[in-house]
């Protein structure tokens, strides 16, 4: 198991290229199940979660190649409609195979993903949507079994705009008979990217990015040809690190409006933000100012940026109240950040952060993906050597993070646990 060794106290400066978005890639690669031909995807990040997705798809009978960010998937034949626990437990997003398998094969059997470190994360909204499209759902031995000879288009009104449930419903509805309208659907850029990829397969979708998505079902889909959107969360992480270390960083390769709610908060915290066509520059104006944040579905402040923003506020001037409304247990970074000397008080679903001028290095343990990024940021600010262990969490979602940080001037290296 690898660790990251960080010698903090240095400002980040320079330009970094963002990778393709992990959270867009996962559903998009899975949507290849729907097409009877070969699909080709560009700008796919080389991440653990992507390897897991490839394994799941290989298990279902899709052949694949993955080289230099290009993944090809051939779904000429589906070998099985069964996604077992051993594969699904490695990555919750595997539940997204349910909709496309059911739509194409008339049946799917997928292990229930169970809880995860950041909360219970039920899938009731996924099942609700598939039932509305005519699926018969049974739960047996820890598996969801969904059956329908042919799904039928319908109006599906979500109680909450779940990203995963919207994606599963979209992938089911594209092959259903007739029209589907998804109301109160998620509006995240990853949903829009999935719609774009599905359209290259011949799907008839409109309204993505708004709360009401219209889908006209078709009888069959061909292979896809798509380039994945830039990772807004990765970009936001580097910009937050620039703010925290009082530096100046440009991120290239994403649409600034995908990150607008976060950029507005950086500005409120005193940073200068320049929005280019496909780039963003953040220049810290000395020490940041304490700024309150509340996570919300898109276009609100993303829960996936909460931990990193908190890390930046730990070294800001003044207090900040960080409120998490999406996941119930997403403060696992708090006790770890406290080890660096951060002054943090948890009150229900909020954390009161009292900014400190200085942090001091400490050994830290990564707990989940975005929490890990916040610990790395804490290490970049702290004086002395911080070691972050269990960084396999980080490797699930950030491509070559330490290399990219090094190119910005950070003193950070990867070491093997045994070293
Ligand atoms: C996706 C992202 C994740 C991000 C999250 C919110 C991927 C692979 N993951 O996760 O990084 O943090 O969106 O932006 O894209 N819920 C239910 N029932 C359901 C589904 C969800 O109650 O059937 C609840 C969840 O427990 C959670 C909230 O809805 O409290 C948001 O979840 P959702 O939007 O579905 O997130 P994911 O798709 O799991």
């Amino acid at each position: 198991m690898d660790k990251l060794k960080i010698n903090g106290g240095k400002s980040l400066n320079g330009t970094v290229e963002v990778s393709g978005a992990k959270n867009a890639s996962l559903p998009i690669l899975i949507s290849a199940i729907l097409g009877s031909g070969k699909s080709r995807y560009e700008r796919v990040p080389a991440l653990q979660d992507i390897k897991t997705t490839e394994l799941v798809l290989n298990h279902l009978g899709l052949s694949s190649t993955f080289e230099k960010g290009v993944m090809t998937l051939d779904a000429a034949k589906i070998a099985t409609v069964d996604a077992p626990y051993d594969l699904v437990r490695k990555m919750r997003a595997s539940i997204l195979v349910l909709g496309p398998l059911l739509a194409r094969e008339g049946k799917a059997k997928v292990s229930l993903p169970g809880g995860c470190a950041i909360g219970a994360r039920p899938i009731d909204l996924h099942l609700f949507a598939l039932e509305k499209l005519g699926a018969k759902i049974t739960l047996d031995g820890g598996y969801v079994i969904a059956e329908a000879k042919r799904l039928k288009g319908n109006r599906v009104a979500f109680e909450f705009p779940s990203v995963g449930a919207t994606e599963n419903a979209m992938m089911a509805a594209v092959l259903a008979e007739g029209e589907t309208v998804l109301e109160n659907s998620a509006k995240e850029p990853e949903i829009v990217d999935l719609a774009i990829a599905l359209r290259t397969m011949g799907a008839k979708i409109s309204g993505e990015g708004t709360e009401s998505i219209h889908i006209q079902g078709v009888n069959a889909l061909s292979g896809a040809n798509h380039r994945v959107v830039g990772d807004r969360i990765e970009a936001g992480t580097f910009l937050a690190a620039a703010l925290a270390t009082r530096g100046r960083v440009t991120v290239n390769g994403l649409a600034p409006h995908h990150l607008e709610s976060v950029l507005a908060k950086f500005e409120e915290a005193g940073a200068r933000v320049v929005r280019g066509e496909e780039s963003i520059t953040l220049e810290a104006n000395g020490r940041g100012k304490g700024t309150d944040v509340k996570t919300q579905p898109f276009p609100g402040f993303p829960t996936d940026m909460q931990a990193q923003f908190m890390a930046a506020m730990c070294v800001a001037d003044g207090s900040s109240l960080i409120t998490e409304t999406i996941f119930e247990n997403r403060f696992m970074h708090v006790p770890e950040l406290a080890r660096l000397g951060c002054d943090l008080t948890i009150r229900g679903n909020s954390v009161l952060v009292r900014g400190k001028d200085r942090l001091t290095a400490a050994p830290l343990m990564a707990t989940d993906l975005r929490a890990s990024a916040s610990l790395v940021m804490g290490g970049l600010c702290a004086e002395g050597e911080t070691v972050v262990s269990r960084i396999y969490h980080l490797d699930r979602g950030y491509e070559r993070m330490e290399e990219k940080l090094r190119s910005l001037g950070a003193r950070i290296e990867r070491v093997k646990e045994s070293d």
Side-chain angles (χ1 to χ4, degrees):
M1 256 192 284
D2 298 355
K3 296 178 181 181
L4 286 177
K5 220 187 247 181
I6 306 163
N7 266 292
K10 202 162 175 281
S11 295
L12 297 188
N13 281 290
T15 300
V16 75
E17 199 67 35
V18 300
S19 301
K22 169 185 90 81
N23 284 353
S25 301
L26 302 181
I28 286 173
L29 296 175
I30 287 172
S31 72
I33 293 172
L34 291 161
S36 44
K38 228 183 189 173
S39 291
R40 183 176 187 279
Y41 303 101
E42 285 176 33
R43 207 192 191 188
V44 177
L47 298 170
Q48 194 51 49
D49 273 7
I50 297 294
K51 281 185 204 150
T52 307
T53 305
E54 194 180 7
L55 275 180
V56 171
L57 294 172
N58 291 154
H59 168 83
L60 298 176
L62 282 74
S63 57
S64 62
T65 62
F66 187 31
E67 217 181 322
K68 294 194 179 130
V70 177
M71 188 173 291
T72 64
L73 288 162
D74 191 341
K77 257 190 136 171
I78 302 296
T80 172
V81 293
D82 196 337
Y85 180 61
D86 253 7
L87 286 173
V88 176
R89 75 182 166 83
K90 288 195 184 124
M91 188 185 65
R92 292 185 40 85
S94 311
I95 194 67
L96 295 176
V97 303
L98 195 60
L101 276 180
L102 174 65
R104 178 160 169 191
E105 298 292 302
K107 188 170 179 184
K109 183 178 172 196
V110 180
S111 169
L112 281 164
C116 72
I118 62 172
R121 297 180 89 169
I123 56 157
D124 54 320
L125 298 172
H126 299 235
L127 303 184
F128 160 78
L130 298 178
E131 271 180 333
K132 280 278 178 197
L133 298 178
K136 186 173 144 263
I137 309 265
T138 43
L139 300 179
D140 185 27
Y143 279 78
V144 182
I145 301 162
E147 287 166 286
K149 267 216 175 79
R150 171 108 196 248
L151 293 169
K152 280 207 170 59
N154 199 354
R155 178 175 174 270
V156 180
F158 289 111
E159 196 183 304
F160 177 86
S162 153
V163 173
T166 302
E167 291 166 346
N168 236 333
M170 282 167 79
M171 291 190 279
V174 286
L175 284 180
E177 189 186 337
E179 196 192 18
T180 295
V181 182
L182 305 177
E183 303 279 14
N184 196 23
S185 51
K187 300 194 272 269
E188 269 70 0
E190 292 75 23
I191 301 280
V192 174
D193 210 36
L194 173 61
I196 296 171
L198 287 169
R199 272 199 293 269
T200 71
M201 306 172 87
K204 295 199 160 46
I205 305 179
S206 61
E208 72 276 6
T210 75
E211 58 187 27
S212 144
I213 302 177
H214 289 248
I215 300 166
Q216 186 66 47
V218 296
N219 289 332
L221 292 171
S222 61
N225 195 348
H226 182 71
R227 179 174 158 83
V228 175
V229 70
D231 197 319
R232 64 192 168 107
I233 304 300
E234 186 198 13
T237 302
F238 286 116
L239 296 176
L243 173 62
T245 62
R246 305 171 199 180
R248 183 183 193 279
V249 166
T250 298
V251 289
N252 268 334
L254 87 156
H257 68 93
H258 289 168
L259 205 56
E260 188 47 46
S261 58
V262 180
L263 301 184
K265 285 293 168 185
F266 288 148
E267 287 174 326
E268 203 179 318
R272 197 169 87 91
V273 177
V274 181
R275 297 153 180 82
E277 213 162 280
E278 283 252 311
S279 70
I280 306 164
T281 300
L282 181 144
E283 187 172 4
N285 182 14
R287 198 173 166 200
K289 288 191 293 236
T291 304
D292 297 347
V293 148
K294 190 181 198 175
T295 63
Q296 299 281 3
F298 191 83
F301 191 95
T303 173
D304 285 354
M305 275 300 298
Q306 178 254 107
Q308 303 91 309
F309 195 81
M310 188 186 296
M313 291 301 99
C314 285
V315 289
D317 187 13
S319 300
S320 319
L321 191 68
I322 313 274
T323 304
E324 174 60 58
T325 75
I326 308 291
F327 291 108
E328 71 272 24
N329 185 25
R330 209 167 192 182
F331 289 144
M332 278 158 319
H333 42 287
V334 168
E336 294 297 312
L337 287 172
R339 293 170 54 77
L340 298 172
C342 300
D343 185 342
L344 303 163
T345 312
I346 301 184
R347 293 201 182 134
N349 68 340
S350 296
V351 174
L352 177 64
V353 184
R354 292 187 180 90
K356 287 275 200 74
D357 193 28
R358 282 164 174 250
L359 302 180
T360 44
L364 303 177
M365 188 102 79
T367 50
D368 72 68
L369 171 52
R370 305 303 167 185
S372 317
S374 77
L375 303 188
V376 171
M377 284 177 54
L380 291 172
C381 297
E383 278 162 34
E385 185 179 279
T386 292
V387 178
V388 184
S389 55
R390 297 209 180 154
I391 58 157
Y392 54 85
H393 291 291
L394 201 69
D395 293 336
R396 282 188 42 221
Y398 288 93
E399 196 177 35
R400 298 179 289 110
M401 189 194 225
E402 75 279 13
E403 277 177 43
K404 291 189 184 183
L405 284 172
R406 258 200 309 274
S407 78
L408 298 175
R411 291 170 298 202
I412 179 168
E413 57 176 315
R414 180 180 288 256
V415 287
K416 299 277 166 210
E417 194 85 71
S418 53
D419 288 358

